[in-house]
């Protein structure tokens, strides 16, 4: 039996599931409920195909980002992320697995030039109400249907987890330098804040526990909760989040539609 | 209906009568037609809300419409009812230059956004060919592209926040001026939804710095096959130009006839290449041109100044207009394939056209692998339009077979609902339909588009096609 089928079966047997990739972003999530089974996505890993001429890679969700970057580099391509060894994990987007990268859609030190993981996702095979379903297309441009795959980025595996994805890659030659500054290693779980250019300086001055910041994308990383700006958003430890426009009603509606059994924790 | 809506709005904001029916029975996709009962011209989000509520209370279908430049029938009122035109919602409400964003109503014309930001050296990056007329609302709903999306991305990457009147009349604001936050990205579902989830009334969009340096070249190749091979080689080289557009022999012929443009006699295809950036981009253009020469380029013209640059772009921008000289009827298709399959795909397109005895010209976003085969013919010849529609569907199936998509920028609309719908598994379809459940979509909001599931859509397909011939 294929790994993905075994994975789907294992998930189907458990009424409550917490998916785990490499665990690099675990501090951002609420603790899983007690009746919940943790299942690793690393059983569904591996690179399916690399096409540098098309700037595309197809990969299983459990694949390590570090492994993917090594493989892409042999083709002169990369995901536009900074190297965690050089810049620290925060500015590298806390990379673990590809599935985790997309599920969290966290900013990185290259966000202002290259966007977030959501921008690179072209096609996804997802696990939707127990079935394998596809959305998007394996081309760099597509407007057929609703962009469900883009919506699922940043939902932390709570709606319909990624199984296999196709991402747009960036030629290494076209990678831009970063304006981000790394100050120190984080001592405690990290907070991430982004705000408007006109508010960033004031936020930066008032922030304690700074780990890194990037003026180009008006983002900062700190291990103390930063002051709440007038506009923007904050992502913090244990599922704490603030935004100037959270839509709890529609998000609840989406959770009920995508995960009516409340399986994904 | 007119009387009812005239109570909701002022009577001058409600249009009806035979001229209205004819004007609004299709958008720029003219193969299928269906007339509305009336057209309304709201001026604000609240007026749109009042219209949608009235439509719900009266069980009348409603279809949003911007400038009507859509190419898949998205603004056609498939089941009649009310067309909600954003024509009078064209104001730019706020320009926030320090934060590089701008708030505009849905009916604001694309180019005006860039014009408003130009004094500060900024622009709204999505540049569909229709940008001098098409509206922000239309661009959001179709997730419009354009020549420069190769580098700058499609509309989705430039919309920060949208205000929408949902299907039952509720006003929702999705997204934030500060992008990519922890809120779930419901905005990603709205962009590209073709007006089926509600009516977008205003939006904050991102403004992008205008590049300080631009280098443009028009490169001639002996045939389209060598030109497409050059496209692949350029991107394999690791250069991402701002634009990489291709024009084939028939487009060149049309441009010669219509505008007297001159190209090398032995040229069979042209590539328009543009590189841009904060730093000088001459080196980047040089590597592109070196690749072109290695792929068999026979002539290279590099723009020396802005005037020459505009002239080189004329070939690209006037191409479709020039097609009018070749035949009375033009149908433009839209499909995407991995760009490495371009040579194979183009050969298939030429073969299809010759099989049904019509002309085909290709003018397209080669860098994105986004093909626009443009069939030209005389629709007065009985049976021709049917053959063109059938050939178009075969081309789309070929795109799918090569691992691509049935649309890169024109949308599904009514045109591709059949061919795209058939390519989905039941689970894929359920996943798409889930989006409608999230937004509580009723059968009244832009029915029969994307995934037709309303009663009457199938019967009405015949009626539309009948009206067109």
């Amino acid at each position: 039996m294929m790994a993905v089928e075994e994975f789907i079966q294992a998930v189907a047997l458990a009424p409550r599931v917490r998916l785990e990739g490499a665990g690099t972003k675990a501090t951002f999530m609420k603790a899983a409920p007690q009746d919940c089974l943790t299942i690793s996505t690393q059983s569904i890993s591996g690179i399916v195909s690399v096409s540098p001429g098309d700037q595309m890679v197809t990969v299983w969700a459990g694949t390590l980002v570090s492994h993917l970057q090594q493989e892409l580099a042999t083709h002169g391509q990369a995901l536009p992320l900074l190297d965690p060894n050089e810049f620290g994990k925060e500015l590298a987007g806390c990379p673990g697995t590809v599935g985790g990268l997309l599920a969290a859609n966290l900013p990185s030190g290259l966000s202002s030039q290259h966007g977030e993981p959501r921008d690179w996702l072209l096609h996804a095979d997802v696990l939707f109400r127990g079935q394998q379903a596809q959305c998007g297309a394996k081309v760099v441009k597509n407007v057929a249907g609703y962009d469900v795959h883009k919506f699922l980025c940043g939902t932390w595996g709570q709606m319909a987890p990624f199984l296999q994805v196709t991402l747009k890659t960036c030629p290494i030659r076209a990678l831009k330098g970063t304006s981000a500054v790394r100050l120190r290693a984080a001592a405690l779980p990290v907070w991430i804040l982004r705000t408007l250019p006109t508010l960033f300086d004031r936020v930066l001055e008032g922030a304690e526990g700074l780990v890194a910041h990037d003026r180009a994308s008006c983002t900062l990383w700190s291990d103390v909760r930063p002051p709440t700006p007038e506009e923007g958003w904050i992502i913090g430890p244990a599922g704490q989040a603030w935004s100037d426009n959270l839509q709890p009603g529609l998000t609840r509606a989406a959770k009920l539609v995508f995960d009516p059994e409340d399986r994904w924790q | 209906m007119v009387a009812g809506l005239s109570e909701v709005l002022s009577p001058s904001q409600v249009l009806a009568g035979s001229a209205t029916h004819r004007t609004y029975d299709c958008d720029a996709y003219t193969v299928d037609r269906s007339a509305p009962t009336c057209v309304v011209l709201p001026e604000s989000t609240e007026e749109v809300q009042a219209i949608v509520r009235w439509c719900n209370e009266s069980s009348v279908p409603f279809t949003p419409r911007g400038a009507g430049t859509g190419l898949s029938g998205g603004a056609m009122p498939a089941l009649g009812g009310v067309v909600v035109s954003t024509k009078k919602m064209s104001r730019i409400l706020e320009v926030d230059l320090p934060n590089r964003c701008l708030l505009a109503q849905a009916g604001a014309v694309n180019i005006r956004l860039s014009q408003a930001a130009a004094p500060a050296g900024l622009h709204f990056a999505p540049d569909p060919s229709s940008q001098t007329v098409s509206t922000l609302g239309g661009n959001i709903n179709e997730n419009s592209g354009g020549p420069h999306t190769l580098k700058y991305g499609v509309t989705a990457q430039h919309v920060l926040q949208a205000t929408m009147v949902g299907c039952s009349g509720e006003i929702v604001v999705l997204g934030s001026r500060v992008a990519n936050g922890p809120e779930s990205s419901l905005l990603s579902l709205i962009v590209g939804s073709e007006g089926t989830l509600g009516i977008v009334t205003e939006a904050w969009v991102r403004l992008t710095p205008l590049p300080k340096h631009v280098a443009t070249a028009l490169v001639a190749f002996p045939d389209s096959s060598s030109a497409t091979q050059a496209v692949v080689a350029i991107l394999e080289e690791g250069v991402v130009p701002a634009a990489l557009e291709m024009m084939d022999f028939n487009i060149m012929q049309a441009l010669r006839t219509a505008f007297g443009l001159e190209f090398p006699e032995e040229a069979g295809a042209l590539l328009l290449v543009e590189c841009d950036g904060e730093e000088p981009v001459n080196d980047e253009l040089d590597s592109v041109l070196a690749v072109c020469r290695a792929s068999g380029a026979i002539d290279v013209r590099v723009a020396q100044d802005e005037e020459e640059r505009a002239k080189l772009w004329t070939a690209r921008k006037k191409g479709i207009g020039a097609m009018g000289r070749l035949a009375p009827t033009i149908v433009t298709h839209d499909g995407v394939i991995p760009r490495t399959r371009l040579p194979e795909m183009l050969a298939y397109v030429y073969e299809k056209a010759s099989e049904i005895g019509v002309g085909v010209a290709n003018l397209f976003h080669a860098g994105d692998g986004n093909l626009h085969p443009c069939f030209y013919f005389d629709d007065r010849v009985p049976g021709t339009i049917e053959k063109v529609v059938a050939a178009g569907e075969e081309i789309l199936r070929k795109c799918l077979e090569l691992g691509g998509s049935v649309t890169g920028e024109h949308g599904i609309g009514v045109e591709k609902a059949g061919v795209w719908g058939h390519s989905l598994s039941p689970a894929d379809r359920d996943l798409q339909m889930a989006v409608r459940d999230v937004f509580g979509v009723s059968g009244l909001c832009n029915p029969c588009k994307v995934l037709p599931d309303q009663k009457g859509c199938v019967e009405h397909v015949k009626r539309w096609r009948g009206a067109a011939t």
Side-chain angles (χ1 to χ4, degrees):
Chain A
M1 194 191 293
M2 277 178 67
V4 69
E5 286 162 9
E6 283 175 20
F7 175 83
I8 292 172
Q9 277 193 5
V11 164
L13 291 173
R16 300 267 178 281
V17 177
R18 162 68 57 97
L19 290 179
E20 189 177 67
T24 52
K25 289 173 279 288
T27 63
F28 290 107
M29 297 186 81
K30 271 185 205 155
Q34 289 219 320
D35 64 344
C36 166
L37 185 70
T38 297
I39 296 179
S40 168
T41 59
Q42 292 199 36
S43 64
I44 45 167
S45 71
I47 297 166
V48 180
S49 65
V50 183
S51 178
D54 293 310
Q55 280 179 269
M56 288 194 306
V57 63
T58 298
V59 62
W60 289 100
T63 312
L64 289 172
V65 173
S66 54
H67 171 67
L68 176 61
Q69 292 286 57
Q70 273 172 12
E71 179 61 27
L72 287 173
T74 65
H75 299 272
Q77 300 281 316
L79 295 182
L81 290 167
L82 295 172
D83 180 357
N85 299 318
E86 189 181 343
F87 293 91
K89 64 182 167 70
E90 291 79 17
L91 286 179
C94 307
T97 61
V98 170
L101 188 77
L102 294 163
N105 192 49
L106 292 179
S108 78
L110 288 178
S111 290
S112 73
Q113 301 95 322
H114 295 280
E116 265 84 24
R118 178 185 290 128
D119 300 315
W120 320 327
L121 181 62
L122 305 172
H123 176 270
D125 261 88
V126 301
L127 185 52
F128 171 61
R129 298 184 198 150
Q131 304 269 320
Q132 224 176 314
Q134 302 188 51
C135 45
K138 294 177 181 177
V139 280
V140 293
K141 196 173 178 191
N142 164 51
V143 294
Y146 304 114
D147 280 349
V148 186
H149 53 303
K150 304 264 185 191
F151 163 72
L152 294 173
C153 293
T155 57
W156 294 87
Q158 302 286 301
M159 301 277 182
F162 295 111
L163 297 171
Q164 190 191 84
V165 294
T166 299
L167 296 160
K168 183 177 178 176
T169 59
C170 180
I172 289 174
R173 204 180 144 177
L175 276 178
K176 303 271 173 21
T178 181
S179 56
V181 178
R182 186 191 190 210
L183 300 167
R184 61 180 177 87
L188 296 162
V190 163
W191 296 79
I192 307 175
L193 171 149
R194 182 175 282 177
T195 186
L196 291 171
T198 49
L199 303 173
F200 189 62
D201 280 339
R202 206 179 337 144
V203 172
L204 201 58
E205 277 166 29
E208 288 170 40
L210 271 181
V211 170
H213 57 83
D214 183 13
R215 184 170 298 280
S217 63
C218 298
T219 312
L220 67 79
W221 292 258
S222 61
D223 53 14
V224 177
R225 182 177 179 132
T228 304
E230 287 155 54
E231 279 187 63
W233 53 259
I234 297 175
I235 296 173
Q240 298 179 81
W242 172 85
S243 157
D244 58 39
N245 189 26
L246 284 173
Q247 286 286 340
L250 274 171
T251 304
R252 261 196 308 277
K255 176 74 175 167
L256 281 172
V257 167
F258 280 89
D259 183 26
E261 292 170 345
D262 197 23
R263 182 183 303 275
W264 308 115
Q265 301 293 319
Chain B
M1 194 182 296
V2 174
L5 284 161
S6 297
E7 280 173 27
V8 175
L9 302 168
S10 76
S12 67
Q13 289 173 284
V14 184
L15 311 176
S18 60
T20 300
H21 296 167
R22 275 201 306 277
T23 310
Y24 290 90
D25 69 359
C26 67
D27 52 20
Y29 173 71
T30 58
V31 174
D32 298 325
R33 292 169 196 249
S34 170
T37 303
C38 65
V39 177
V40 290
L41 303 165
E43 293 178 19
S44 65
T45 301
E46 290 68 29
E47 287 188 352
V48 172
Q49 180 179 45
I51 293 159
V52 171
R53 283 189 173 152
W54 183 89
C55 287
N56 273 283
E57 283 157 18
S58 317
S59 299
V60 169
F62 54 95
T63 300
R65 178 181 173 111
T69 55
L71 286 159
S72 58
M76 178 186 79
L79 299 181
V82 178
V83 164
V84 183
S85 165
T86 58
K87 207 170 206 63
K88 291 195 167 179
M89 298 178 65
S90 58
R91 280 179 300 145
I92 292 174
L93 301 171
E94 198 178 333
V95 185
D96 184 350
L97 294 176
N99 290 316
R100 292 186 177 173
C101 53
L102 174 159
L103 174 66
Q105 286 186 298
V109 172
N110 172 303
I111 193 88
R112 284 195 52 228
L113 310 184
S114 286
Q115 285 165 352
L122 301 169
H123 76 303
F124 178 57
D127 60 345
S129 301
S130 60
Q131 73 176 149
T132 54
V133 273
S134 67
T135 62
L136 173 60
N139 292 170
I140 290 174
N141 276 298
E142 300 296 327
N143 194 9
S144 300
H148 289 90
T149 53
L150 178 59
K151 180 170 176 181
Y152 292 97
V154 290
T155 301
Q157 275 137 280
H158 301 275
V159 178
L160 298 166
Q161 187 178 67
T163 302
M164 182 177 85
V165 175
C167 295
S168 33
E170 70 286 5
I171 295 173
V172 287
V173 179
L174 301 169
S176 156
R177 295 211 294 162
V178 182
N180 280 299
E183 72 272 12
S184 54
S185 183
L186 296 151
L187 185 59
S188 294
L189 299 174
I190 299 303
V191 180
S193 63
E194 305 193 28
T196 59
L197 303 178
I199 302 181
V200 172
T201 56
E202 47 190 70
W204 277 100
V205 300
R206 193 191 296 276
L207 297 174
T208 307
L210 285 161
K212 286 201 180 80
H213 300 271
V214 182
T216 309
L218 191 63
V219 187
F221 289 85
D223 48 48
S224 53
S225 165
S226 52
T228 48
Q229 276 155 15
V231 168
V232 177
I234 289 166
L235 289 142
E236 272 176 349
E237 184 73 11
V239 180
V240 182
L244 194 46
E245 301 282 306
M246 185 174 147
M247 291 142 276
D248 75 356
F249 181 76
N250 292 336
I251 291 284
M252 286 159 56
Q253 280 302 90
L255 286 164
R256 284 185 181 116
T257 317
F259 302 111
L261 295 189
E262 288 171 15
F263 307 107
E265 246 174 52
E266 63 279 24
L270 300 172
L271 265 191
L272 181 75
V273 190
E274 188 158 278
C275 297
D276 69 15
E278 285 295 288
E279 308 295 328
V281 284
N282 301 336
D283 287 354
E284 200 174 305
L285 187 69
D286 286 346
S287 12
V288 170
L289 297 179
V291 173
C292 287
R293 289 192 186 96
S295 307
I298 49 174
D299 184 62
V300 174
R301 295 185 209 176
V302 179
Q304 300 303 320
D305 53 37
E306 190 51 37
E307 195 184 330
E308 279 187 30
R309 178 175 164 252
K311 209 171 156 193
L312 295 187
W313 270 99
T314 311
R316 171 64 182 91
K317 292 197 169 164
K318 292 202 166 176
I320 286 288
M323 295 283 299
R325 292 296 182 99
L326 297 180
T329 314
I330 294 163
V331 171
T332 304
H333 293 290
D334 167 45
V336 199
I337 38 152
R339 62 173 85 97
T340 48
R341 312 302 291 268
L342 272 172
E344 191 179 337
M345 188 67 212
L346 265 188
Y348 184 82
V349 168
Y350 292 125
E351 188 188 304
K352 274 292 133 197
S354 93
E355 222 175 271
I356 62 167
V358 303
V360 68
N362 288 283
L363 163 86
F364 63 100
H365 312 306
D368 290 321
N370 187 185
L371 217 60
H372 290 316
C374 191
F375 285 94
Y376 53 96
F377 53 96
D378 188 341
D379 68 352
R380 291 165 297 191
V381 178
T384 311
I385 187 93
E386 288 79 3
K387 279 192 216 164
V388 168
V389 169
E393 288 184 359
E394 283 181 54
I395 287 172
L396 296 179
R397 276 192 283 274
K398 183 76 176 175
C399 287
L400 290 173
E401 190 190 311
L402 295 179
S405 162
V406 297
T407 172
E409 43 186 29
H410 295 177
I412 299 293
V414 289
E415 183 198 10
K416 293 173 180 174
V419 66
W420 182 62
H422 285 127
S423 74
L424 303 176
S425 76
D428 301 345
R429 193 184 168 84
D430 288 348
L431 183 62
Q432 291 286 318
M433 293 310 274
V435 173
R436 295 195 178 182
D437 294 340
V438 172
F439 288 94
V441 168
S442 68
L444 298 176
C445 184
N446 204 4
C448 306
K449 310 293 166 64
V450 189
L451 286 159
D453 64 333
Q454 292 87 353
K455 274 187 191 158
C457 291
V458 176
E459 297 96 280
H460 282 271
V461 166
K462 282 182 193 148
R463 187 173 65 96
W464 303 331
R465 294 260 149 101
T469 49

